[in-house]
Amino acid sequence: GAGVSQSPSNKVTEKGKDVELRCDPISGHTALYWYRQSLGQGLEFLIYFQGNSAPDKSGLPSDRFSAERTGGSVSTLTIQRTQQEDSAVYLCASSLNAQAATNEKLFFGSGTQLSVL
Amino acid sequence: KQEVTQIPAALSVPEGENLVLNCSFTDSAIYNLQWFRQDPGKGLTSLLLIQSSQREQTSGRLNASLDKSSGRSTLYIAASQPGDSATYLCAVPMIKAAGNKLTFGGGTRVLVKP
């Protein structure tokens, strides 16, 4: 597709349930990032994938959060046993290459609004 | 740890007035700085990226300056229009981190009144 696609756009779930959020990056982009945007916290980095390398999980807030990227393309962010504090907008972004020195722009999807009741 | 601050948090101006948005960062060892725009319920759109060796970047009515030594960047939007109403965020790559992991400011919410 032309841009980064995320689904679903909105997700309402009950506390304790598991949720899966999907991201389709721009075709050909090797780097993929997940961010979380919540009131009072701003935008926080969660995890990033670069090609076939092991992902950088340094931003994941707890072991209830995990993500995978299949075939170097589509990524799924999974939150197990959701809590109310997980309510936020989850944003996915991709770029052509992850090397910081190349000064590449990030392209963001529209996000998934997650509400945990 | 890098910290990015944007002041003011919100700004309201009449149409036609120039906008000045400020961004400050605590560690000047940055590769670049990006300005993004976010519309309600939408993702972020990259507006301008200034490399560390540059002092400014321009795109249409937008101009962004960078002063690494003082840890500041300013986004100027000339002759503002109601369509410029959005939240503007600045971001810099995390220090000594591989990839393009960004640290974001809290954003400035802009309202341009017709």
Side-chain angles (χ1 to χ4, degrees):
Chain A
V4 179
S5 177
Q6 291 188 246
S7 62
S9 56
N10 282 282
K11 177 71 176 178
V12 180
T13 190
E14 295 178 351
K15 178 181 174 181
K17 302 274 185 160
D18 298 351
V19 295
E20 285 189 354
L21 312 179
R22 177 188 168 102
C23 171
D24 276 285
I26 293 174
S27 178
H29 279 194
T30 62
L32 185 148
Y33 305 79
W34 284 97
Y35 286 84
R36 178 169 71 175
Q37 187 174 33
S38 52
L39 290 175
Q41 294 295 325
L43 266 154
E44 303 171 277
F45 164 78
L46 295 177
I47 186 171
Y48 111 86
F49 298 86
Q50 167 56 31
N52 295 321
S53 302
D56 180 343
K57 306 178 182 179
S58 59
L60 295 179
S62 78
D63 58 8
R64 296 186 295 105
F65 288 72
S66 63
E68 62 177 21
R69 188 178 185 190
T70 54
S73 181
V74 173
S75 177
T76 302
L77 177 68
T78 301
I79 308 174
Q80 296 178 310
R81 305 180 302 281
T82 52
Q83 303 294 314
Q84 289 184 332
E85 60 262 29
D86 299 334
S87 297
V89 176
Y90 290 82
L91 292 162
C92 176
S94 70
S95 67
L96 188 61
N97 190 304
Q99 299 305 314
T102 62
N103 294 304
E104 291 186 335
K105 291 183 178 181
L106 254 60
F107 296 84
F108 280 81
S110 297
T112 294
Q113 172 72 62
L114 175 66
S115 299
V116 182
L117 304 180
Chain B
K1 179 185 173 185
Q2 177 76 272
E3 294 183 2
V4 182
T5 304
Q6 292 185 248
I7 296 174
L11 187 59
S12 179
V13 299
E15 181 177 2
E17 193 165 298
N18 297 332
L19 283 163
V20 180
L21 309 179
N22 298 302
C23 172
S24 62
F25 45 94
T26 54
D27 192 323
S28 62
I30 60 171
Y31 290 113
N32 58 61
L33 183 144
Q34 287 191 67
W35 281 95
F36 292 87
R37 169 185 172 138
Q38 185 175 31
D39 293 284
K42 303 289 185 182
L44 280 67
T45 300
S46 181
L47 298 174
L48 291 167
L49 183 150
I50 313 174
Q51 298 183 29
S52 60
S53 59
Q54 299 174 323
R55 294 194 65 84
E56 65 178 317
Q57 275 285 326
T58 298
S59 175
R61 294 184 294 111
L62 275 61
N63 175 278
S65 65
L66 175 64
D67 185 342
K68 277 185 60 178
S69 60
S70 66
R72 294 178 185 176
S73 177
T74 303
L75 178 66
Y76 300 89
I77 303 178
S80 62
Q81 304 169 358
D84 295 329
S85 298
T87 296
Y88 293 83
L89 300 107
C90 65
V92 296
M94 293 182 184
I95 302 300
K96 297 180 181 178
N100 207 0
K101 295 157 51 178
L102 300 177
T103 299
F104 284 84
T108 295
R109 190 171 65 254
V110 171
L111 176 63
V112 180
K113 299 177 180 179

